[in-house]
Amino acid sequence: MLNNICSPPFFTAEIFGDGRVFCCCPAYTKIKEIGNIYCQTWDEVWNSDIAREFREKIKKGDYSSCYTNFCDPQFFPLCQELKYVDPEKLDINNPKARIVKLSMDASCNVACTICRSKIRCNQDESRTRFLDSKTDIILETLKDAEIVNFTGSGDPFASKHVRRLIKIINEKYPNIKFNFHTNGTLCDERNLKELGVIDKLSTIEISLHSATKSTYDKIVKYGNWERVNKNLDFLSGLIKQGKLDELQLNFVVFSENFRAIPDFIELCKKYNAKAFLWQYRPLGGIYDFDSVDVTSPLHKNHKEFIQIMTNIDSNNPNLFMSPLFKKYTQIKDVEQYNLFASIIANQIAERYESKHCAFDKRFQALENSVQILLDKVGTSKVDKILLFLKKIFSLKNKYKKIINKEKLLRFWHRN
């Protein structure tokens, strides 16, 4: 049954510094937190009404509470990591938190431009003292855990609080294994030995976002490309020695780096790592979202992005990407797709411009795009496309009905 449903809501938890708990990544679900460890017991949080209702929906194959454009049941990294948990303990009728992700501290020694505008690293001592005071509460959340994951909010090796907590967890739960989400600059042999985890590693996840030093330096401010690659070489060696279950490299796709996607996939092969391609989301950083979102037909580099995606081998077992990205790789005729994309771009822009008394010019451009499309396609598709366009681009509604990227792709694959 685990192969047919999304398993993280039954066996994983993510906990934030303010005590809020989620039973899946909050960026990919519409549900609010399932509870708060600072004002409830762990059992009350884990078995709360919100948690149980969410799990019941997942059991029935109902993903209406999930953002399926960004994630599917086999994509989220925790789905991959669960294979390193004892399968006998994965009982959806008696769920326990087998993987706990502690995103408690935002301290990080670099500033990725897609995440933050400056370094924030142990600057608030009162905050560190507060988190340290909650150690006993945090330890209680790990009573059923086989893996503890640091950290979705910063870099574990740069945080004073996290480093102290790792040593305490090691003493309290000697059999627990560790996952680390890091920028990679401090993930070296010395730190792993000092923290006592060199023989307790499950997965290491490194946010790289590049395949060359020049791209890396633009995105990862205050990083060190040479040091990261040296550490990757060391971690790759741990994979070969059987001391590390899995190495994941992350790549958030946007206008600054999308041309490096093929080289990034090759780099992952070099280091025996799995490649993860993520959609850019406006959760922080220095950019205006629309100006860097190459997945949008409105973006000036969208056609070039599509061409790159169609040349990717989506059957690569070590490549993971969001559902939308996967659909982009399946486009057969890039030229015809780009005509559809052009229509959508015109339509969305027209909706905005029509509110500012610039409707006629955009209306004419849209009609021209429709005519070009009809001239290009074969006769077998003309009737379907006419019906489709009549429905979407009706003169009666003055193009106010907006079609999104998902709808475009569903229509394209059906025909």
Side-chain angles (χ1 to χ4, degrees), residues 77-296:
L78 285 176
C79 295
Q80 309 301 317
E81 294 166 10
L82 273 166
K83 65 188 174 187
Y84 301 117
V85 172
D86 183 353
E88 295 296 322
K89 296 180 179 180
L90 299 182
D91 180 2
I92 64 172
N93 296 311
N94 184 32
K96 301 289 183 182
R98 302 300 178 186
I99 298 180
V100 177
K101 186 172 186 177
L102 298 175
S103 301
M104 313 290 285
D105 187 6
S107 292
C108 189
N109 60 314
V110 305
C112 294
T113 56
I114 55 176
C115 178
R116 57 186 70 187
S117 58
K118 60 183 180 180
I119 287 180
R120 289 188 294 166
C121 197
N122 305 304
Q123 294 173 334
D124 187 347
E125 285 295 332
S126 63
R127 178 66 182 165
T128 300
R129 288 194 297 272
F130 170 78
L131 292 173
D132 288 346
S133 73
K134 303 298 182 182
T135 297
D136 288 342
I137 295 175
I138 295 170
L139 291 175
E140 177 66 14
T141 70
L142 303 177
K143 63 182 182 179
D144 296 307
E146 295 186 44
I147 296 173
V148 59
N149 190 329
F150 292 100
T151 169
S153 54
D155 191 280
F157 303 104
S159 165
K160 293 179 181 178
H161 161 72
V162 171
R163 293 179 73 98
R164 282 196 287 266
L165 184 57
I166 289 171
K167 293 179 180 179
I168 293 171
I169 291 172
N170 249 331
E171 184 175 343
K172 174 77 173 179
Y173 300 107
N175 295 321
I176 208 165
K177 298 189 77 173
F178 291 83
N179 290 354
F180 293 112
H181 185 175
T182 169
N183 61 62
T185 56
L186 300 175
C187 189
D188 55 22
E189 183 176 13
R190 182 179 66 83
N191 275 312
L192 292 172
K193 283 185 175 179
E194 180 185 326
L195 294 170
V197 298
I198 191 74
D199 296 314
K200 299 181 178 183
L201 298 173
S202 178
T203 299
I204 291 180
E205 185 179 345
I206 293 179
S207 297
L208 201 59
H209 312 309
S210 53
T212 62
K213 184 179 187 305
S214 58
T215 304
Y216 176 86
D217 288 343
K218 288 180 183 178
I219 300 171
V220 185
K221 301 300 182 183
Y222 312 106
N224 187 315
W225 176 252
E226 291 79 11
R227 181 184 295 175
V228 170
N229 276 269
K230 181 180 178 181
N231 292 344
L232 284 172
D233 194 51
F234 164 69
L235 296 173
S236 178
L238 292 184
I239 291 273
K240 295 174 183 177
Q241 297 169 35
K243 293 185 176 182
L244 176 62
D245 293 331
E246 190 167 292
L247 178 62
Q248 300 175 0
L249 300 186
N250 291 335
F251 189 105
V252 174
V253 177
F254 69 117
S255 58
E256 290 291 329
N257 65 358
F258 74 96
R259 296 181 182 89
I261 291 174
D263 290 336
F264 170 74
I265 295 172
E266 289 302 311
L267 187 70
C268 291
K269 291 180 183 177
K270 173 183 175 182
Y271 291 122
N272 299 301
K274 293 187 175 179
F276 279 77
L277 300 180
W278 299 90
Q279 287 172 247
Y280 179 78
R281 295 167 293 155
L283 301 178
I286 66 173
Y287 303 107
D288 168 71
F289 178 71
D290 290 334
S291 69
V292 298
D293 180 25
V294 291
T295 69
S296 168

